[in-house]
């Protein structure tokens, strides 16, 4: 009998994606003790360690990395086969109309959409931004099928599936007078021009979780639909902006801007996929949700697994 089983590959894959034994155990629906025992038993049978204990994130040994390569190949084949069987059982056609409230989400959403189109070619897919309307009521009415949002509302028959946690950070010019501060306070914005996407202030993290509770308003609000344009304005000292930490990584790596946390602890938010409860068990909806989660953790830096 083979020493390595599919459950081992799923466990190692979860450990890589979450970075900790506790979160990996939750991902594969085991207790931490049971997961630790499973891994220790596998290591004893293989005669080598698969990862270094007490490291965060987890560091894998050469043997562990080789098994992760195997897991990527095998689990992909399993998911593909399961997807095909579901299509045979339930039919391949349908509709999936998506709206996004997070404009910078295109970085991970487009690879997800590409994957989805490849595997569900007969599903009618439409994608739009949610700048000009309220998408969650439209989802409840049936005008939409899925909404990407960080602002869940209590609406009957709407389910929110958490994707990940992210920190809302402020981008500043490298020469900004606030650049030397360890973190920013609400009062720091009283004389600043805040550059945002063209949506209502109450739907933006910086207002909802930081400025409004302190009863503070920026000196001026300026709108831009393009993240790149926002970065150009910030880099040239024409204002500051607040975006998810993963959306700012590209620009901080190029030393285009610097980032600061909102408050000493930072403001951490969750991104959700909102769907109607009657669609939760739809085959292609489940496939999109699974693909979106994997794509996020593969492509985005600085995000954390959601606390369920």
């Amino acid at each position: 009998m083979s020493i390595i089983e599919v459950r081992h590959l799923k466990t190692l894959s979860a450990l890589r994606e979450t970075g900790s034994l506790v979160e990996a155990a939750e991902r594969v629906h085991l207790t931490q003790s049971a997961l630790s025992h499973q891994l220790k038993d596998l290591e004893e049978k293989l005669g080598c360690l698969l990862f270094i204990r007490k490291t965060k994130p987890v560091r894998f040994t050469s043997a562990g990395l080789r098994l992760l390569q195997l897991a990527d190949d095998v689990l992909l084949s399993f998911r593909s086969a399961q997807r095909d069987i579901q299509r045979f059982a339930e039919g391949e056609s349908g509709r999936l109309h998506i709206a996004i409230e997070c404009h910078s989400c295109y970085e991970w959403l487009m690879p997800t959409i590409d994957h989805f189109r490849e595997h569900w070619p007969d599903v009618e897919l439409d994608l739009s931004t949610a700048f000009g309307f309220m998408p969650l009521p439209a989802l409840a009415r049936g005008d939409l099928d899925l909404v990407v949002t960080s602002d869940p509302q209590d609406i009957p028959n709407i389910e929110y599936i958490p994707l990940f946690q992210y920190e809302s950070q402020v981008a500043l010019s490298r020469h900004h007078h606030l650049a030397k501060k360890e973190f920013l306070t609400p009062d720091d914005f009283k004389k600043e021009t805040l550059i945002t996407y063209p949506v209502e202030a109450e739907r933006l993290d910086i207002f909802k979780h930081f400025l409004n509770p302190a009863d503070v308003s920026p000196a001026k609000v300026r709108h831009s639909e393009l993240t790149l344009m926002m970065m150009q304005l910030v880099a040239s000292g024409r204002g500051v902006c607040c975006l998810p930490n993963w959306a700012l990584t590209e620009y901080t790596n190029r030393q285009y801007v610097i980032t600061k946390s909102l408050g000493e602890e930072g403001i951490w938010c969750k991104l959700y996929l909102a769907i109607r409860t009657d669609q939760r068990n739809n085959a292609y909806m489940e496939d999109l949700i699974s693909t979106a989660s994997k794509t996020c953790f593969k492509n985005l830096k600085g995000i954390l697994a959601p606390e369920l």
Side-chain angles (χ1 to χ4, degrees):
M1 295 180 60
S2 174
I3 294 175
I4 303 169
E5 302 175 18
V6 172
R7 64 190 179 102
H8 297 137
L9 302 181
K10 289 183 177 180
T11 296
L12 289 171
S13 182
L15 187 58
R16 175 182 59 186
E17 292 176 4
T18 62
S20 77
L21 289 170
V22 174
E23 294 178 8
E26 292 178 356
R27 181 74 63 89
V28 297
H29 308 294
L30 292 174
T31 64
Q32 183 181 353
S33 175
L35 181 137
S36 297
H37 179 76
Q38 180 193 116
L39 290 172
K40 184 175 178 60
D41 181 63
L42 178 60
E43 287 177 326
E44 289 178 352
K45 290 179 179 178
L46 292 173
C48 60
L49 292 177
L50 298 176
F51 65 98
I52 308 301
R53 267 68 173 175
K54 298 182 179 180
T55 59
K56 194 169 184 180
V58 171
R59 281 197 301 118
F60 290 91
T61 63
S62 296
L65 292 173
R66 181 62 186 90
L67 280 187
L68 284 171
Q69 291 177 350
L70 176 63
D72 289 338
D73 293 338
V74 171
L75 296 180
L76 179 62
S77 295
F78 267 73
R79 286 193 295 269
S80 179
Q82 183 177 358
R83 185 184 300 116
D84 289 341
I85 293 170
Q86 287 174 327
R87 289 168 65 185
F88 297 151
E90 299 184 17
E92 301 180 357
S93 62
R95 186 197 80 165
L96 186 56
H97 290 187
I98 303 172
I100 59 173
E101 292 188 322
C102 168
H103 197 61
S104 49
C105 285
Y106 284 107
E107 182 175 344
W108 62 265
L109 186 58
M110 294 316 295
T112 301
I113 295 299
D114 290 341
H115 176 93
F116 184 85
R117 287 188 189 278
E118 179 182 352
H119 292 92
W120 301 94
D122 295 325
V123 175
E124 177 192 346
L125 189 103
D126 187 49
L127 177 65
S128 64
T129 64
F131 286 166
F133 66 101
M134 300 298 288
L136 291 175
L139 174 65
R141 291 193 305 268
D143 299 334
L144 295 171
D145 303 299
L146 184 146
V147 175
V148 182
T149 181
S150 60
D151 186 23
Q153 300 172 26
D154 188 11
I155 300 177
N157 300 318
I158 298 299
E159 179 178 352
Y160 297 93
I161 301 162
L163 278 179
F164 57 80
Q165 296 183 85
Y166 64 92
E167 183 182 5
S168 287
Q169 293 185 324
V170 175
L172 306 170
S173 161
R174 296 172 62 195
H175 307 293
H176 197 281
H177 69 93
L178 296 173
K180 294 184 179 180
K181 294 196 66 174
E182 289 188 23
F183 56 87
L184 302 185
T185 66
D187 287 343
D188 290 326
F189 291 84
K190 289 182 176 179
K191 297 181 179 180
E192 298 298 325
T193 295
L194 181 61
I195 306 166
T196 75
Y197 295 121
V199 299
E200 296 89 342
E202 58 268 20
R203 292 167 62 187
L204 297 170
D205 293 339
I206 187 170
F207 283 99
K208 183 169 53 178
H209 301 298
F210 192 66
L211 295 179
N212 289 352
D215 197 24
V216 170
S217 298
K220 181 180 177 182
V221 175
R222 179 172 179 173
H223 294 145
S224 174
E225 291 192 3
L226 300 177
T227 304
L228 179 59
M229 180 57 68
M230 294 171 73
M231 291 299 101
Q232 290 178 342
L233 292 170
V234 169
S236 61
R238 299 181 185 181
V240 302
C241 74
C242 181
L243 292 175
N245 55 347
W246 50 265
L248 294 169
T249 300
E250 173 187 354
Y251 304 99
T252 55
N253 286 345
R254 292 161 51 188
Q255 298 186 335
Y256 206 58
V257 297
I258 61 172
T259 59
K260 298 293 176 182
S261 293
L262 294 168
E264 188 172 3
E265 302 296 327
I267 298 294
W268 285 84
C269 308
K270 289 182 186 177
L271 196 69
Y272 299 85
L273 296 181
I275 62 172
R276 290 188 301 280
T277 52
D278 61 0
Q279 289 190 304
R280 184 64 176 90
N281 295 322
N282 182 293
Y284 57 77
M285 184 67 79
E286 287 189 336
D287 187 30
L288 179 72
I289 293 168
S290 175
T291 301
S293 177
K294 291 178 173 62
T295 303
C296 291
F297 284 96
K298 180 179 179 181
N299 292 308
L300 304 182
K301 304 293 184 183
I303 65 173
L304 299 176
E307 295 178 355
L308 302 179

